[in-house]
Amino acid sequence: MKNRKNLGINSKLNHPETPELVQGNRPLISPIYHSAKFTPSEDHPYWDQFMYSRVANPTNRELEMTLAELQKREDCLVVASGIAALTGVFLSLLKSGDHIITFRELYKPSRIFIRDYLPRYNIEHSLLTLTQLKDLEAAIIPGKTKLIHFESPTNPNLEIADIEYILKIAKKHGVLVSMDGTFAGLHQHTQFDVDIMIHSLTKYGNGHGDVIAGCISGRKELMKTVRDVGLYLGAHLDPQAAGLIQRGLKTYMLRYERQTQTAAKIAHFLSQHPRVKKVYYPGLENHRHHELAKKQMSDMGAVVSFEILPEVAANAAKFCHSLELIFLTASVGSTESIICPTLMFFGTDLPESEREGMGMNAYSVRLSVGLEDADDLIEDLNKALG
Ligand SMILES: *Cc1c(COP(=O)(O)O)cnc(C)c1O
């Protein structure tokens, strides 16, 4: 601004002076650009620059570049939640008349969106089961099936998908594959040529339980379609939230490593406890997909699901409330340990005949292990188990 001196006070207040940094003088930690708008330089094409933060924002872009690097993908888009990432992928890659194949072992809101919302747009689905992948090829409808979507490990009971097999069938038929890798974390499964990777950053990515966010990653050309639609769906991430996630990511590997170590100890403790009926943790040798998990994953994660005997508590919720250090709530991957009843939280939309087969009943719980001392957590569980 050339002549500030002559401006009135309201003009001055609405155009504050900003400190100029000399070239090369830069903050070591990036500032958070909360500005909704940027004024472009006349010397460059407008649309190569930041203009409006729903479309692109430097803080979000830094996070996207970090995430793409971590996931070994060409590009990444951050959005307002994990669910916004999932619905964004489905709505951008599918159109009326298409067919999607997915599995009943899905995070409940994803299952409900595919099963109950997509048909409104004339997008049909097949709901298979991850433990019967041999049905996959027969479910492909030539010319109609556009996408196979799966989770691994699944929420809440940590089934493992055979990713190599899914990719083989999909490639053979020219079908795209999207994977929700939230339960594995961002650093895993990068070796697989999955077309679209989806994560809830609310979980391990941010890791501190104070942000809701999600991301979508993949090849540049495919991400262009996803990004364009993101623009019209309006599910962009708030830059303040992006800044918190960027900070959370600095300790991502340290947190993940420690949480996995403690989770393994707890899974082992639970599997030996006489009042625990069943433990679901891919790191345990008796997990039905232990070998597959070892082949696909470097770390087994912080989530341990298990079933208590009816003599322990009237139901899963009562058991959760009887813990003192571990609180009953939603979410996983946070620095504090949290627990929830799985049927009440994730299974009520399923037919009763299917719930038991998926390990969800009145006595099943999902525990997400935080950064507390392992001995304290084990003592808390031991006391509540009686
Ligand atoms: C939590 C979760 C989501 C949804 O993420 P939000 O950030 O809560 O919207 C999606 N998939 C899985 C596997 C999850 O655990």
Side-chain angles (χ1 to χ4, degrees):
M1 191 143 315
K2 279 173 200 111
N3 222 339
R4 282 189 79 78
K5 265 208 303 255
N6 299 333
L7 293 174
I9 187 64
N10 287 298
S11 302
K12 280 182 176 161
L13 286 175
N14 284 287
H15 294 273
E17 236 180 331
T18 47
E20 292 278 347
L21 304 185
V22 301
Q23 214 192 350
N25 178 200
R26 56 181 195 91
L28 207 55
I29 309 297
S30 299
I32 293 172
Y33 291 93
H34 64 247
S35 184
K37 54 233 189 276
F38 297 79
T39 179
S41 154
E42 263 189 315
D43 305 334
H44 299 275
Y46 281 1
W47 308 116
D48 289 354
Q49 304 179 58
F50 294 104
M51 184 75 83
Y52 192 50
S53 284
R54 195 183 76 240
V55 183
N57 168 285
T59 306
N60 290 15
R61 193 63 203 140
E62 180 175 315
L63 177 59
E64 288 170 350
M65 294 186 320
T66 309
L67 290 168
E69 205 168 42
L70 176 57
Q71 299 180 82
K72 301 198 170 80
R73 290 298 186 265
E74 285 177 10
D75 197 14
C76 174
L77 174 70
V78 291
V79 289
S81 69
I83 278 299
L86 285 151
T87 56
V89 165
F90 301 147
L91 293 175
S92 58
L93 297 183
L94 302 171
K95 61 178 190 325
S96 174
D98 285 348
H99 173 251
I100 171 175
I101 299 176
T102 191
F103 302 89
R104 61 180 190 172
E105 298 92 344
L106 273 194
Y107 180 56
K108 183 178 160 194
S110 314
R111 185 169 61 229
I112 289 180
F113 189 79
I114 293 171
R115 194 188 58 201
D116 302 345
Y117 279 70
L118 287 183
R120 297 180 185 184
Y121 308 102
N122 191 31
I123 298 164
E124 297 302 329
H125 63 274
S126 298
L127 202 58
L128 309 182
T129 170
L130 262 188
T131 48
Q132 277 174 27
L133 273 186
K134 59 174 175 28
D135 299 340
L136 178 60
E137 189 159 18
I140 292 177
I141 309 171
K144 272 177 84 83
T145 305
K146 294 286 154 62
L147 187 67
I148 298 171
H149 175 75
F150 69 98
E151 264 171 47
S152 191
T154 61
N155 184 0
N157 274 345
L158 305 145
E159 300 284 359
I160 306 293
D162 187 337
I163 304 175
E164 211 175 284
Y165 183 79
I166 294 174
L167 285 174
K168 191 180 86 184
I169 299 296
K171 304 255 173 229
K172 183 172 157 196
H173 293 271
V175 174
L176 291 172
V177 174
S178 61
M179 170 176 181
D180 180 342
T182 300
F183 263 43
L186 295 148
H187 66 298
Q188 304 216 60
H189 300 123
T190 56
Q191 73 274 32
F192 291 104
D193 189 21
V194 169
D195 299 288
I196 292 281
M197 274 285 193
I198 300 163
H199 285 270
S200 165
L201 295 171
T202 313
K203 316 292 169 57
Y204 292 109
N206 173 61
H208 294 72
D210 50 9
V211 163
I212 303 264
C215 68
I216 308 165
S217 308
R219 289 187 302 279
K220 260 213 175 76
E221 127 276 325
L222 198 53
M223 284 304 297
K224 195 169 163 348
T225 309
V226 173
R227 187 176 287 278
D228 279 355
V229 172
L231 165 66
Y232 303 118
L233 293 179
H236 80 288
L237 183 61
D238 182 80
Q240 303 283 356
L244 283 172
I245 297 165
Q246 189 75 49
R247 182 162 77 170
L249 283 175
K250 292 181 187 205
T251 54
Y252 170 85
M253 293 304 294
L254 294 174
R255 284 187 281 107
Y256 199 100
E257 197 177 310
R258 173 61 70 86
Q259 283 169 257
T260 289
Q261 272 171 16
T262 308
K265 280 185 199 162
I266 288 174
H268 190 70
F269 158 77
L270 290 170
S271 65
Q272 313 245 306
H273 200 288
R275 300 182 86 180
V276 173
K277 191 170 168 194
K278 230 174 180 165
V279 183
Y280 303 92
Y281 186 66
L284 288 178
E285 271 170 32
N286 65 2
H287 184 281
R288 93 164 107 189
H289 296 135
H290 176 63
E291 288 307 319
L292 181 59
K294 272 203 312 197
K295 203 171 99 189
Q296 294 184 171
M297 297 165 71
S298 49
D299 306 289
M300 298 301 167
V303 182
V304 183
S305 292
F306 60 99
E307 185 183 327
I308 54 171
L309 287 179
E311 68 209 52
V312 175
N315 56 48
K318 281 258 182 291
F319 171 74
C320 296
H321 281 298
S322 72
L323 293 157
E324 287 174 7
L325 191 57
I326 306 168
F327 286 90
L328 186 159
T329 186
S331 201
V332 301
S334 205
T335 54
E336 72 285 342
S337 296
I338 47 189
I339 195 164
C340 66
T342 54
L343 178 58
M344 186 193 288
F345 276 47
F346 306 109
T348 47
D349 67 307
L350 290 164
E352 251 165 80
S353 57
E354 287 186 10
R355 298 171 183 176
E356 188 68 40
M358 291 166 68
M360 282 191 270
N361 61 34
Y363 302 100
S364 56
V365 294
R366 184 195 75 182
L367 169 68
S368 171
V369 176
L371 289 176
E372 301 93 339
D373 295 291
D375 291 347
D376 292 338
L377 293 171
I378 287 174
E379 193 186 317
D380 196 21
L381 289 162
N382 199 32
K383 236 165 72 185
L385 286 166

